[in-house]
Amino acid sequence: MSYATDAGPDAGPVPRESGTQALDRALSVLLAFRGPEAERKVSDVSRELGLHKSTASRLFRALADAGFLHRNEENGNYRLGVTVFELGARYLAGLDLHTLARPLVHRLAEEEGESVNLSVREGLDAISLHVVQGTRNLQLVSRLGRRIPLWCSAAGKALLIDFDDAALRAMLATAPFTALTANTITDLDTFVNRMATVRQQGWALNDQESEEGLRVVAAPVRDRHGRVTGAISVSGPIFRLDEARVAELAAAARRTADELSRQLGHGLGNVWGD
């Protein structure tokens, strides 16, 4: 963020700010609290931002009056106020996987020309929550709401990426491992071994395991707690998705999934303490 600076802490009278300049500086003061320090001194922030101390003091008081900052009366330092938490809580309450994913999956389908799905897990199935058809010829498109067993779905494997071997065996102990094609994994031991590769590479592959002639790659989407909450998958016919193209689409799926995860609050740390 850019903002105008004062001449320095020892400069003379400070000229009156425009509304835009004052807002810019106030936002800069708030952003100065992104670091690890719970409290900050007015003098430190004014020096860091190149603001006259009187200007910084005025901004701190205004932000405190609005609840964005809170003054520690014992030492005069400031910390973030309850209004910041209230706004953050409203933001988190308004987060919706499907709504946030919609523009991202449409963009991915347009950029790569292949069909893109957003899937979530329900029981032992991956369910297509949002489906976007690609722009290339011969699209093999999953229908909205389609269920595919986790063990023969790229999205399903991505949704299980954080499960260790023991957790996988416990979850899938009674799974039927029904074969949908000649490539379907039909036993638990093989699936557990395959998932070790998925965890290592950070994405999953469905190589004609759910449908003949179809390859699919998928990457996990995480919420603000780091939990896998969905999967972004890209699918296409095997004659277009050779080994090199699979790697390209896997990277694209991971970028999109990571972007969606950031929008869901992943990577911000446990700032809310829950």
Side-chain angles (χ1 to χ4, degrees):
M1 174 180 293
S2 63
Y3 50 87
T5 60
D6 293 310
D10 299 322
V14 181
R16 192 171 188 82
E17 299 172 308
S18 68
T20 301
Q21 186 182 45
L23 176 61
D24 199 23
R25 288 174 166 175
L27 291 174
S28 297
V29 168
L30 277 179
L31 292 176
F33 283 81
R34 290 182 299 183
E37 304 97 333
E39 294 186 350
R40 301 212 62 184
K41 297 179 179 179
V42 175
S43 58
D44 290 343
V45 174
S46 66
R47 184 166 52 253
E48 179 180 310
L49 299 179
L51 294 173
H52 194 285
K53 189 174 180 180
S54 63
T55 299
S57 297
R58 184 171 66 251
L59 292 170
F60 270 75
R61 288 194 299 270
L63 289 167
D65 289 343
F68 288 98
L69 295 179
H70 177 82
R71 187 173 186 272
N72 184 335
E73 297 299 335
E74 293 183 0
N75 57 23
N77 296 340
Y78 285 81
R79 63 176 182 266
L80 291 175
V82 68
T83 299
V84 175
F85 175 80
E86 290 173 345
L87 291 176
R90 286 182 177 273
Y91 168 75
L92 292 173
L95 292 181
D96 176 76
L97 176 66
H98 185 271
T99 300
L100 292 175
R102 184 186 300 272
L104 299 181
V105 297
H106 278 269
R107 185 187 69 193
L108 181 58
E110 182 177 345
E111 290 177 348
E112 300 299 337
E114 304 293 355
S115 298
V116 179
N117 280 22
L118 169 69
S119 301
V120 295
R121 182 171 72 88
E122 184 174 296
L124 300 183
D125 294 325
I127 302 177
S128 295
L129 191 65
H130 192 65
V131 180
V132 182
Q133 183 171 333
T135 56
R136 293 191 171 192
N137 294 330
L138 188 56
Q139 293 291 322
L140 305 174
V141 184
S142 176
R143 71 178 184 276
L144 189 65
R146 181 186 180 189
R147 290 174 174 264
I148 305 179
L150 298 171
W151 57 87
C152 60
S153 161
K157 295 170 192 172
L159 289 164
L160 296 177
I161 200 166
D162 284 348
F163 284 66
D164 61 19
D165 290 357
L168 287 173
R169 290 184 182 280
M171 171 180 280
L172 300 174
T174 60
F177 284 94
T178 304
L180 302 181
T181 73
N183 283 15
T184 303
I185 298 173
T186 56
D187 67 274
L188 181 55
D189 288 339
T190 301
F191 183 75
V192 170
N193 291 336
R194 189 75 57 84
M195 284 300 298
T197 301
V198 173
R199 289 193 293 269
Q200 181 180 21
Q201 65 191 12
W203 58 274
L205 172 66
N206 167 2
D207 189 3
Q208 303 186 81
E209 297 163 47
S210 60
E211 190 171 338
E212 296 285 354
L214 178 71
R215 286 195 178 111
V216 189
V217 297
V221 176
R222 300 180 183 276
D223 63 15
R224 71 180 187 273
H225 302 289
R227 296 185 295 244
V228 175
T229 189
I232 299 288
S233 61
V234 186
S235 59
I238 59 173
F239 71 84
R240 274 206 305 265
L241 272 61
D242 58 13
E243 184 176 352
R245 183 62 173 152
V246 163
E248 292 175 357
L249 292 177
R254 290 189 69 180
R255 287 193 299 271
T256 301
D258 289 347
E259 184 174 351
L260 179 55
S261 298
R262 286 192 293 272
Q263 292 188 22
L264 289 168
H266 179 57
L268 297 180
N270 190 21
V271 295
W272 305 109
D274 55 0

